Amino acid sequence: MSASLLELHDVSAGYGRTTVVNKLSFSVAEKDRLAIIGRNGVGKTTAMRAIMGLCSWCTGRILFEGQDISPLAPHERAMHGLGYVPQTRDIFPSLTVEENLVSGLKGRPRRAIDDAYAMFPRLAERRRLPGMQLSGGEQQMLSVARALLGRPRLLLLDEPLEGLAPLVRHDLLRAFHQMSQDIGITVIMVEQQVKEALAYSKTVMVMERGAAVHSGWSRDLLPDDQALERFVGLADH
Ligand SMILES: Nc1ncnc2c1ncn2[C@@H]1O[C@H](COP(=O)(O)OP(=O)(O)OP(=O)(O)O)[C@@H](O)[C@H]1O
Ligand SMILES: [Mg+2]
C-alpha cells in the first residue's frame, strides 16, 4: 500500500478527568477506506473529534501527510484537507439546501455545487427546501455534500447510515463508492451497520475501551461471524 496519509501515535483524549481514547495508534494509507467499528461508548466519536482537534484535551501525535497537526486548530486542520461529517449531521435547519451548500464552498466557485447535485440528485430536486424539511437520509446527503465541497483529502464519516432505511443506506453507499472511485478521496467511516461498513471499506479497525483491538482487511472479517459476534455482538445488528 502507498504511504500513510494519516497517522495516530499514542493518541489519548477525553473529557475532564475521563480518558475515553487511550493510547490509540493507527495509520490510514492514501486512497484507503477504513471502517472503525465497536460497541456503543467505546470512543469512536471521540477518536474522530481528536483527529479534527475538537476534544477538550488530547495527547499524542497526529500526522497528516507527514506533518504534525496536533497543535493546529480545527479550521486549520480543515484547510489542510481534513473533512468531517459528525454523527449529529451538522446542517443549518432554517437554511435551504442550496444555502447550506453555499456555506460549504469556502471560496470555491459556485458551480462546484453542480458537482454536489450530480452526486446527490435528490438534493438538486430539493434545493429550495429548508434543511429541517429534509428526511434523515437527505440531511445526511446534504451534510456529506457540504463536506465534499471543501475538497478534503481525508473525509471522516461518523455513523452516516445511522437511523436510515435500507434503500436510503444503499443510495448513500453508492455515492460513497463514487466518491472513493471518482474523486479518489480517502475515507474513515465509523459505523454500527457493520456488514455494510465492511462491504464498503478496504480495511477495518475494531475499538474497545478507547483502543484498537483488531486491525486488518475488511474482506477477511466480513464472513467471520464468530469474530464479529465477539467484537461487536452481531445480535445487536
Ligand atoms: N462531551 C462529552 N462530555 C463527557 N463525556 C462524554 C462526552 N462525549 C462522550 N462522552 C463519553 O465518552 C465515552 C465515549 O463516547 P463516544 O461518543 O466517543 O463513543 P462512541 O464509540 O462514538 O459511541 P456510539 O457508538 O454510541 O456513538 C462515553 O462514555 C460518553 O459518555
Ligand atoms: Mg459515536
Side-chain angles (χ1 to χ4, degrees), residues 72-185:
L72 300 185
H75 74 275
E76 293 171 314
R77 298 185 198 208
M79 282 188 331
H80 271 74
L82 287 164
Y84 178 45
V85 179
Q87 196 166 356
T88 45
R89 295 168 197 164
D90 62 341
I91 62 166
F92 298 110
S94 55
L95 297 188
T96 65
V97 165
E98 186 127 329
E99 286 162 348
N100 266 280
L101 291 173
V102 167
S103 78
L105 277 174
K106 299 195 186 107
R108 290 189 64 206
R110 206 178 160 107
R111 64 175 179 277
I113 288 180
D114 293 338
D115 297 339
Y117 287 145
M119 185 169 290
F120 298 105
R122 282 152 76 124
L123 293 182
E125 293 161 19
R126 288 156 180 77
R127 66 211 300 163
R128 299 195 204 296
L129 275 187
M132 65 185 130
Q133 283 182 26
L134 299 178
S135 72
E138 289 158 2
Q139 288 184 9
Q140 188 62 264
M141 288 172 197
L142 180 55
S143 201
V144 172
R146 200 180 61 179
L148 284 176
L149 284 173
R151 281 208 275 207
R153 301 203 44 212
L154 172 66
L155 184 62
L156 311 179
L157 299 169
D158 194 351
E159 298 208 33
L161 308 179
E162 189 180 19
L164 303 180
L167 267 178
V168 184
R169 297 206 300 267
H170 179 262
D171 279 358
L172 262 176
L173 283 164
R174 200 170 46 197
F176 295 157
H177 268 294
Q178 191 186 338
M179 179 174 93
S180 308
Q181 268 152 23
D182 298 356
I183 318 178
I185 204 165

Side-chain angles (χ1 to χ4, degrees), residues 180-224:
S180 308
Q181 268 152 23
D182 298 356
I183 318 178
I185 204 165
T186 307
V187 176
I188 300 179
M189 178 190 282
V190 169
E191 197 39 77
Q192 303 264 4
Q193 299 294 334
V194 168
K195 293 263 177 180
E196 280 160 299
L198 288 174
Y200 165 73
S201 58
K202 276 202 257 188
T203 57
V204 57
M205 180 176 83
V206 183
M207 283 183 73
E208 271 175 24
R209 275 174 272 111
V213 292
H214 170 89
S215 291
W217 297 107
S218 303
R219 62 168 179 267
D220 293 339
L221 191 55
L222 183 56
D224 192 343

Side-chain angles (χ1 to χ4, degrees), residues 53-68:
L54 294 166
C55 282
S56 52
W57 65 266
C58 181
T59 60
R61 285 192 339 134
I62 302 176
L63 305 183
F64 186 66
E65 297 179 304
Q67 184 192 336
D68 189 352

